[in-house]
Amino acid sequence: MGLLLRNSPSSIRCLESLENLNLSYCSNFEKFPEIQWNMKFLKALYLTHTAIKELLNSFGCLQDLEILDLSGCSNLERLPEIQKDMGNLQFLSLDGTAIKGLPCSIGHLTGLYRLDLENCRNLRSLPNICGLKSLEDLFMMVVKSRGFFRDHRGYGTIRTPFVTRNGHDRAAIIN
């Protein structure tokens, strides 16, 4: 059974030396607090399978963040615009979220090497991701009926689709 936490306590902002925060499987957790500069050492934030609906714009204050795992956050519909100082983010998982698109500023994540968009069934489009110079792995569902890849061929080479453990086709796009 998960923790019945709905919001993180506001005192979490006082943990200046915090490097890893894992709130995964707190299924009632809906809102991450406004982030201030005093959480600048946070390197990994795991919100897997929470009920979070949005990340506030202050999320951009996490300059040292390297890992952001939002997989299974089925209520999450959008990401805030990415601040220019988030070049340390290396891993972003949006697997199983309800996002419809990525912010146009996604290219500011210059250190991002893995982007997981698998099981994002509401995803309709991608902005220009050519600025993601470090991107090595881009995982997405293959949506044949919408011709999604027909509009996005310039992003790299599509590896041969393979079947995931849940039986869906999946492709990895690599630069």
Side-chain angles (χ1 to χ4, degrees):
M1 174 186 339
L3 188 62
L4 298 177
L5 186 66
R6 286 197 181 280
N7 301 308
S8 63
S10 59
S11 61
I12 200 168
R13 296 181 292 212
C14 298
L15 302 174
E16 295 179 11
S17 298
L18 187 66
E19 291 186 9
N20 297 296
L21 179 59
N22 189 339
L23 296 169
S24 296
Y25 297 96
C26 292
S27 58
N28 292 324
F29 185 76
E30 296 177 345
K31 186 176 180 185
F32 198 77
E34 189 73 25
I35 299 166
Q36 298 175 352
W37 288 102
N38 55 351
M39 291 185 76
K40 63 184 177 184
F41 296 110
L42 191 65
K43 294 191 181 307
L45 178 57
Y46 299 94
L47 298 172
T48 307
H49 292 281
T50 61
I52 197 162
K53 296 177 182 171
E54 68 177 332
L55 287 176
L56 301 175
N57 288 334
S58 63
F59 154 75
C61 293
L62 300 174
Q63 295 178 354
D64 284 352
L65 194 65
E66 296 173 359
I67 298 170
L68 179 58
D69 191 346
L70 297 164
S71 58
C73 294
S74 58
N75 295 327
L76 183 66
E77 293 184 353
R78 72 170 201 85
L79 285 180
E81 289 298 321
I82 308 296
Q83 305 299 317
K84 290 184 180 183
D85 55 2
M86 294 210 52
N88 288 328
L89 192 66
Q90 299 172 11
F91 175 86
L92 175 59
S93 179
L94 299 168
D95 177 13
T97 63
I99 63 165
K100 295 177 178 129
L102 296 174
C104 293
S105 56
I106 193 79
H108 293 192
L109 300 178
T110 55
L112 192 69
Y113 76 86
R114 182 181 177 135
L115 177 58
D116 189 349
L117 298 170
E118 188 175 4
N119 297 311
C120 293
R121 300 192 191 293
N122 295 332
L123 187 64
R124 298 292 182 256
S125 65
L126 285 179
N128 185 336
I129 59 174
C130 293
L132 301 177
K133 301 294 184 195
S134 299
L135 192 65
E136 294 178 10
D137 297 312
L138 173 57
F139 295 99
M140 322 178 60
M141 292 296 295
V142 176
V143 185
K144 297 174 186 170
S145 63
R146 292 192 193 113
F148 187 80
F149 288 112
R150 182 177 60 241
D151 298 330
H152 293 81
R153 284 189 188 158
Y155 293 136
T157 304
I158 300 176
R159 289 190 204 150
T160 305
F162 55 94
V163 179
T164 62
R165 61 185 168 277
N166 59 8
H168 292 94
D169 288 341
R170 178 171 111 173
I173 298 177
I174 56 173
N175 286 333

